[in-house]
Amino acid sequence: MPSPESTAPAWSLVDRIATAAAGGRLDLDAPARGIMLPAGDALLGVDLRTPCRAGDHWVRGDDLIAIYEPADPRRLRATALWRPLHVPAAGDCHAWELTLSAQTAVVHSDAALAVTADVADGDLRWSGATANANWTSGAELPTDAAGLLIRPRTAAAAPAFLFAAHPADARRLLVRRAAGRMAVACWLFSSALEKGVLLRGRVLAAVGPGENAEAWATALVTAFAASPPPLTA
């Protein structure tokens, strides 16, 4: 993972494929797939509920930005901004945050969008909407869960995954298991959207060592919760 002092660009953009310096590729014309990792896992996809190619897209500093305008009755204009998150206390892990915003061209619209992940199944732990994560396991995910930590059940060398919404944002985390995989969705913008209003939410995702996963996950969640709100997309 590049250090904050690294001069290497966070993203390289060729045609409509972005490659992260930390590893992983993102097809801007398939936002629902998210950041595809070498082992086949995926983080921070954007489910627009209608297939949509990116319109305008660019790299600005460490930010990869794309604008989507699905051709459906909701008339949403969604802007996605993917950014690497560097937290020295998190050690050897790769982390990104996604800032997702939405506005509409109609008087009233359903604004619900999901940020997704698809990773290997594992031991699931969750934390609530607090600045300091307190990882808990249980048979059922509570409605107020803000963070998910997925640890490998067997091989210590296997990676663990973190997926967390910013605690200040309204959200609903859902998990579905099938065929050794875990599909995660963080639903944002549950309220109706009016013309002229901008909604914005933030989601964090990371992959790191399975050993001591709680330590680096807590460092990331704590830094993420303390980060200032984005002013622009």
Side-chain angles (χ1 to χ4, degrees):
M1 178 175 179
S3 69
E5 294 80 16
S6 174
T7 57
W11 302 94
S12 60
L13 186 59
V14 178
D15 294 327
R16 304 170 79 83
I17 304 294
T19 302
R25 298 170 71 251
L26 199 157
D27 183 349
L28 293 176
D29 287 341
R33 297 177 186 171
I35 301 172
M36 302 296 297
L37 303 178
D41 302 293
L43 303 172
L44 296 181
V46 180
D47 183 359
L48 299 167
R49 296 165 56 181
T50 299
C52 182
R53 289 166 53 89
D56 201 5
H57 57 281
W58 64 96
V59 172
R60 181 184 65 204
D62 284 347
D63 300 340
L64 171 66
I65 305 161
I67 297 175
Y68 298 93
E69 299 187 71
D72 62 19
R74 299 196 302 161
R75 298 286 301 280
L76 284 183
R77 185 178 193 264
T79 301
L81 184 155
W82 293 270
R83 171 186 296 166
L85 181 63
H86 303 291
V87 177
D92 186 21
C93 65
H94 301 309
W96 298 267
E97 58 178 293
L98 168 64
T99 299
L100 184 63
S101 60
Q103 50 194 152
T104 182
V106 297
V107 176
H108 296 283
S109 181
D110 169 14
L113 295 171
V115 179
T116 63
D118 178 51
V119 300
D121 197 0
D123 173 48
L124 177 64
R125 299 196 173 191
W126 56 269
S127 67
T130 60
N132 297 309
N134 182 18
W135 302 106
T136 305
S137 60
E140 186 174 347
L141 188 67
T143 57
D144 64 343
L148 304 177
L149 178 60
I150 304 158
R151 305 184 311 168
R153 288 197 179 98
T154 52
F161 301 94
L162 170 67
F163 193 83
H166 194 277
D169 297 335
R171 77 279 155 189
R172 177 67 189 276
L173 288 172
L174 299 175
V175 174
R176 179 173 54 84
R177 286 181 160 112
R181 306 292 298 173
M182 182 177 291
V184 179
C186 177
W187 284 94
L188 300 172
F189 317 143
S190 58
S191 60
L193 176 62
E194 296 182 358
K195 186 176 182 179
V197 175
L198 176 68
L199 299 177
R200 182 176 283 132
R202 289 182 285 169
V203 180
L204 161 73
V207 55
E211 292 184 322
N212 300 317
E214 288 90 348
W216 60 255
T218 298
L220 284 170
V221 168
T222 302
F224 183 51
S227 63
L231 298 178
T232 65

